[in-house]
Amino acid sequence: MTPSSVPTVPLRAVAALFLERQHLRRPRRHAFTPSRVLRFAADTGGVQLDSINVVDRAHYLTVWSRFGPYDRAALDRLAYRRRALFEYWAHAACLVPVAHFPCWRRVMLDYHTRSRGWARWLRKNRRTLATVEQALREGGPLGSADFAHRRPRAAAGWWNWKPTTHALDYLWMSGRTLVHSRRHFQKRFDLAERVMPDALEGAPLDRDEFERWHLRQSLRALGAATEMDLRMYLTFPRVGARERRRWLGRLLATGEVREVRIEEPAGAPSTSWYALAEDLPALAAASRHRPACRGSTLLSPFDSFLWHRERAQRLFGFRYTIEVYTPGHRRTHGYYSLPILHDGQLIGRVDPKAHRAERRLEIRAV
């Protein structure tokens, strides 16, 4: 591709398309419906789950940011009864649309080869793995607390998980089990063929097909992206820089992906940007006129819009750091500050805390 054939678009066009793909161009304008939630999850690649519950769980907040007040039980039914969403590790643990199951099935089947750190554990704990799988077969769904164990005396951390917890995690990540439900937010697993038998009937993608899908999914969700954006968006499976460039090179060669030149402020680092060829008209339209962004909402720290925080700073001039892991005396904006999105701009943040017994929301700082 010659330099003259590389499309040039302003940074604001990338920001506008990103807002649209993240369903934030007009937040909370449309009410919650199952079809809208599924489209949102498909466009973004997943809705992240997290255990922190200062205001509400991350996935409930993320859906509220788009659709406003809704019945949280309806989202639970969509995932754990209708099985229209399933849990898997896309960016982190996410609710992913079942339409994406054949794609992630490829990663599940390859998990033991890509995640080589498991090899030693599996050699030592095959009996534990078989015991846990048999217990699920006979009495599932079960969670980690259902297995008797001796707690390690060492400090807490994933490396000190009891062996049965490791086994449950391996069985889930390798697709032999799926999350059946949650009780008090604790995962309960069952055999995959019992949780989603219909999904297992389809053939998984082959490796080349998965690589193409993974890259296209990320570019679709981002609108236009740098290599670092792609690395930080769908972070699973872990892909090295050389491997990612190989993926990009193949799609650039077929014309599915195009390099684009982004007009950035003076002094911005020079970086290559990429977009799906089919998205070039949308970027061009956003370049010619500023799409109307209307509405206000708050964003969860784990919102897909913020999965790559340096991108938010580059596109919107907004530096965000979650401070739940920062000692209190070193926090700047609060324990669980939520960015404020207003008419397409990140304009500030609030630090809230829900007092559920009193049905009161405290705003500690704005």
Side-chain angles (χ1 to χ4, degrees):
M1 185 180 296
T2 63
S4 60
S5 66
V6 177
T8 301
V9 297
L11 194 65
R12 62 176 173 79
V14 179
L17 187 55
F18 185 42
L19 284 163
E20 182 178 322
R21 293 293 163 77
Q22 295 290 316
H23 292 226
L24 286 169
R25 193 164 72 87
R26 297 200 171 183
R28 304 192 308 124
R29 181 183 183 187
H30 300 291
F32 176 108
T33 66
S35 61
R36 286 175 182 148
V37 172
L38 291 176
R39 182 183 171 193
F40 163 58
D43 285 347
T44 59
V47 183
Q48 187 174 343
L49 298 141
D50 191 82
S51 60
I52 298 175
N53 198 21
V54 176
V55 181
D56 211 341
R57 306 288 186 192
H59 59 301
Y60 293 138
L61 277 174
T62 297
V63 171
W64 174 89
S65 295
R66 275 74 180 173
F67 305 107
Y70 69 99
D71 179 8
R72 292 179 304 174
L75 182 59
D76 293 341
R77 286 193 296 271
L78 200 60
Y80 304 113
R81 291 192 185 179
R82 289 182 52 183
R83 305 294 179 192
L85 298 162
F86 70 100
E87 291 193 30
Y88 200 61
W89 205 268
H91 171 81
C94 290
L95 289 173
V96 182
V98 73
H100 291 183
F101 187 83
C103 309
W104 290 114
R105 184 69 174 157
R106 177 74 270 152
V107 184
M108 296 172 183
L109 295 173
D110 293 345
Y111 183 66
H112 69 288
T113 59
R114 291 197 67 109
S115 303
R116 293 182 176 88
W118 280 101
R120 183 178 177 185
W121 186 91
L122 288 169
R123 284 196 298 269
K124 294 173 60 178
N125 293 277
R126 288 196 180 279
R127 182 177 295 179
T128 299
L129 191 69
T131 299
V132 169
E133 192 167 15
Q134 185 61 28
L136 289 166
R137 188 175 302 280
E138 294 175 355
L142 299 171
S144 179
D146 294 308
F147 292 88
H149 62 281
R150 181 180 299 170
R151 293 188 179 276
R153 295 180 181 178
W158 67 265
W159 54 89
N160 285 318
W161 282 356
K162 59 191 179 184
T164 52
T165 301
H166 272 298
L168 286 168
D169 188 63
Y170 180 81
L171 290 169
W172 172 48
M173 294 299 292
S174 59
R176 286 151 70 173
T177 67
L178 290 169
V179 176
H180 171 277
S181 53
R182 283 182 177 259
R183 181 179 296 170
H184 307 301
F185 204 66
Q186 301 303 307
K187 292 192 292 285
R188 295 175 62 75
F189 301 93
D190 206 346
L191 301 180
E193 60 263 31
R194 290 206 292 243
V195 177
M196 294 201 319
D198 294 341
L200 293 174
E201 292 177 359
L205 300 188
D206 64 30
R207 289 186 179 89
D208 287 347
E209 289 171 332
F210 172 77
E211 291 168 5
R212 176 176 176 270
W213 173 83
H214 193 275
L215 193 61
R216 287 183 59 89
Q217 175 65 46
S218 296
L219 283 171
R220 173 73 184 170
L222 295 166
T226 67
E227 285 189 41
M228 184 58 73
D229 291 337
L230 294 171
R231 176 189 170 191
M232 299 298 292
Y233 193 72
L234 292 182
T235 56
F236 187 76
R238 183 174 297 176
V239 178
R242 182 178 298 178
E243 187 177 5
R244 187 177 298 102
R245 289 190 189 110
R246 178 176 61 80
W247 294 10
L248 269 170
R250 289 203 335 233
L251 294 191
L252 285 164
T254 64
E256 290 179 76
V257 171
R258 295 278 301 277
E259 188 172 351
V260 293
R261 183 180 297 111
I262 304 299
E263 296 174 347
E264 298 197 63
S270 177
T271 309
S272 297
W273 288 76
Y274 304 92
L276 294 174
E278 63 201 47
D279 283 338
L280 294 183
L283 284 168
S287 302
R288 290 191 296 268
H289 57 86
R290 189 181 296 274
C293 296
R294 296 286 182 269
S296 303
T297 196
L298 303 176
L299 301 177
S300 160
F302 304 100
D303 198 295
S304 54
F305 190 76
L306 297 167
W307 279 351
H308 185 201
R309 287 168 187 154
E310 285 78 7
R311 176 181 172 89
Q313 183 175 352
R314 193 167 191 170
L315 295 184
F316 300 95
F318 187 85
R319 184 192 297 272
Y320 179 73
T321 302
I322 185 171
E323 296 183 305
V324 294
Y325 311 111
T326 303
H329 67 281
R330 294 177 56 192
R331 291 180 193 137
T332 303
H333 298 290
Y335 179 79
Y336 198 69
S337 65
L338 309 182
I340 304 168
L341 181 73
H342 174 70
D343 289 353
Q345 296 294 326
L346 292 167
I347 64 166
R349 59 202 98 201
V350 298
D351 180 31
K353 177 176 175 58
H355 299 272
R356 293 176 181 82
E358 305 167 24
R359 298 181 58 83
R360 179 172 62 90
L361 183 69
E362 175 189 2
I363 304 298
R364 294 176 162 182
V366 180

